[in-house]
Amino acid sequence: QVELVESGGGLVQAGGSLRLSCVVSGRTFSSVHMGWFRQAPGKEREVVAGISGVLGGLYYGSTFYADAVKGRFIISRDNAKNTVYLQMNSLKPEDSGDYYCAADSEWRVTLPTKPARYDYWGQGTQVTVSS
C-alpha cells in the first residue's frame, strides 16, 4: 500500500512563502514521478509542478511547472527522506486552494500533467493566501 502524506499548508499574506512537504511510503521513492496539483473551490484540479523519478526515459530530476507558477515555485525531492517538496514564493490570492501530491509509477518519456496519469494521491493540504 502506497501512502502519501502532505503537510505545510496554512494561511499566508500575499507575497509570502510556504513550503509544502509530501512523505511517500510503501514504494521505492526514487523510482516514481511526483507531482503537485491544486484545486480551488468550483474549479478542476490542475497541475502545479512535477519532478521525474528513475522510471522511463526522463533525465532524473527533470521538472515541469505550470505557467502560472514559473519563477515563483520550486519542486524538489529528497530520496533519503522519501519526500517531495514544493517551495512557494511570492504567493498570490489566486494560489489559494487544496494542494495535493501524487505519485506516478509508470515508465514515462515525458512528465505527466494530467491527474488521471497519477496512481496515488495524498489527502491534501489547504493553502490560503490573503490579499
Side-chain angles (χ1 to χ4, degrees):
Q1 183 69 20
V2 179
E3 185 177 14
L4 287 72
V5 180
E6 302 102 332
S7 62
L11 173 64
V12 65
Q13 288 189 332
S17 298
L18 283 174
R19 189 176 80 156
L20 306 183
S21 300
C22 173
V23 179
V24 181
S25 60
R27 179 83 193 200
T28 303
F29 178 68
S30 62
S31 67
V32 296
H33 313 302
M34 298 298 301
W36 282 99
F37 290 77
R38 67 186 181 190
Q39 188 167 18
K43 295 189 176 181
E44 293 187 354
R45 192 169 295 189
E46 61 179 6
V47 67
V48 175
I51 187 166
S52 63
V54 299
L55 280 173
L58 290 159
Y59 184 79
Y60 178 77
S62 299
T63 57
F64 165 86
Y65 295 95
D67 288 343
V69 306
K70 280 181 182 176
R72 300 188 296 122
F73 290 12
I74 301 172
I75 188 171
S76 61
R77 63 191 300 159
D78 185 337
N79 290 339
K81 296 182 178 180
N82 282 13
T83 302
V84 61
Y85 303 97
L86 185 69
Q87 177 66 44
M88 305 187 295
N89 302 318
S90 302
L91 282 161
K92 304 175 182 180
E94 52 264 43
D95 293 319
S96 298
D98 293 323
Y99 281 70
Y100 301 87
C101 69
D104 168 31
S105 60
E106 298 293 325
W107 198 95
R108 300 287 184 195
V109 293
T110 59
L111 272 172
T113 60
K114 301 295 185 184
R117 296 288 189 179
Y118 286 81
D119 308 299
Y120 307 102
W121 291 83
Q123 81 290 348
T125 186
Q126 189 173 51
V127 172
T128 303
V129 184
S130 62
S131 57

